[in-house]
């Protein structure tokens, strides 16, 4: 009896605690794209880490796929309020891709095939927080979900996880990306519910 009534006293249940405020869990995988799905043939795909015109690292698909990859199981949170728990990916850690890069940059602008951009502090891409993912649920990443490869930054709202990723530009100053310049929050921490500018 006592245990039952405690359950109704407004305490959080374990399933609430796994979700950031204002989010609901879903088992399907919605597609959210601001434009058409770009089709990038693998023999034309490349990814760079650059400082604008100064390219610090460049990989074609073959070289990228030779990098050591990891399996990643993470919860993802979209600003439209769906969250998907325990998603399973394979990708290359950005720690691996940034090995031996020396930079004074504090900010980044991530660029996608098709023109999408999103900005992140460089430190949010480091220390096992971000990957370039190329498989989802043991299949090649579907084009509508960002295939052949997308950024995966699960600790921020999913608009920061740029699909069809093409490169990362290192910068000394912050510069808003696509959604950030349209009123979405500059940083986008789902646990602090940073959905829009001013949140
Ligand atoms: N290149 C690109 N990346 C993008 C987007 C986009 O429109 N273009 N949409 C973002 C948004 S708002 C979300 S919620 C997620 C959606 O990823 P999904 O379509 O795989 O669910 O991708 C993000 N990455
Ligand atoms: Mo989104």
């Amino acid at each position: 009896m006592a245990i039952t009534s405690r359950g109704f006293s407004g305490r959080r249940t374990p399933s609430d605690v796994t979700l950031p405020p204002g989010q609901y869990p879903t088992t399907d995988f919605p597609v959210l794209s601001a434009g058409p799905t770009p089709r990038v043939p693998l023999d034309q795909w490349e990814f760079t880490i650059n400082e604008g015109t100064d390219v610090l690292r460049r990989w074609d698909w073959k070289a990228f796929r030779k990098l050591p990859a990891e399996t990643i199981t993470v919860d993802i949170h979209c600003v439209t309020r769906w969250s998907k728990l325990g998603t399973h990916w394979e990708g290359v850690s950005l720690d691996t891709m940034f090995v031996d890069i020396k930079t004074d940059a504090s900010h980044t602008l991530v660029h996608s095939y098709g023109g999408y951009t999103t900005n992140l502090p460089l430190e949010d891409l480091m220390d096992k927080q971000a990957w370039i993912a190329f498989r989802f649920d043991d299949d090649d990443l579907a084009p509508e979900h960002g295939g052949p490869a997308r950024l995966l930054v699960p600790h921020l709202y999913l608009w920061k996880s740029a699909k069809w990723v093409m490169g990362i530009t290192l910068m000394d100053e912050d510069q808003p990306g696509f959604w950030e310049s349209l009123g979405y929050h500059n940083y986008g921490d789902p646990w602090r519910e940073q959905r829009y500018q001013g949140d």
Side-chain angles (χ1 to χ4, degrees):
M1 245 339 237
I3 291 167
T4 310
S5 56
R6 225 177 0 242
F8 288 100
S9 67
R11 276 180 165 216
R12 288 177 151 234
T13 62
S15 64
D16 286 334
V17 175
T18 64
L19 282 177
Q23 297 294 114
Y24 69 86
T26 185
T27 52
D28 59 4
F29 196 172
V31 172
L32 284 108
S33 302
T37 296
R39 305 280 165 163
V40 188
L42 290 185
D43 61 3
Q44 288 167 35
W45 185 93
E46 66 167 33
F47 182 87
T48 67
I49 297 172
N50 63 76
E51 291 177 329
T53 52
D54 190 7
V55 174
L56 306 182
R57 295 285 184 281
R58 185 192 302 272
W59 294 267
D60 62 13
W61 184 257
K62 261 189 165 166
F64 168 70
R65 290 292 285 103
K66 280 184 187 149
L67 295 170
E70 308 173 1
T71 57
I72 307 134
T73 302
V74 287
D75 303 340
I76 55 178
H77 311 292
C78 176
V79 73
T80 62
R81 299 187 182 272
W82 57 267
S83 288
K84 198 168 163 58
L85 302 181
T87 59
H88 187 67
W89 306 79
E90 188 174 339
V92 178
S93 170
L94 282 181
D95 297 311
T96 301
M97 304 187 73
F98 272 80
V99 161
D100 294 334
I101 289 188
K102 304 256 182 300
T103 178
D104 294 326
S106 49
H107 291 85
T108 71
L109 192 63
V110 179
H111 294 264
S112 296
Y113 292 98
Y116 185 86
T117 55
T118 189
N119 58 320
L120 300 98
L122 178 56
E123 64 179 8
D124 283 80
L125 296 179
M126 302 287 94
D127 297 326
K128 303 187 176 75
Q129 295 189 95
W131 296 265
I132 305 294
F134 54 88
R135 287 174 77 78
F136 176 80
D137 263 0
D138 299 318
D139 272 317
D140 290 344
L141 185 57
E144 62 270 26
H145 286 300
R150 78 180 294 169
L151 184 64
L152 179 63
V153 195
H155 71 285
L156 299 176
Y157 281 122
L158 200 59
W159 87 76
K160 298 285 184 180
S161 292
K163 304 196 279 190
W164 317 296
V165 70
M166 184 174 81
I168 298 174
T169 301
L170 306 178
M171 302 185 305
D172 297 332
E173 277 177 28
D174 201 5
Q175 183 185 314
F178 178 76
W179 286 119
E180 295 84 4
S181 62
L182 291 172
Y184 282 82
H185 197 276
N186 194 55
Y187 183 63
D189 179 352
W191 297 96
R192 290 189 278 168
E193 234 184 323
Q194 295 174 335
R195 298 178 192 275
Y196 308 107
Q197 263 168 47
D199 284 350

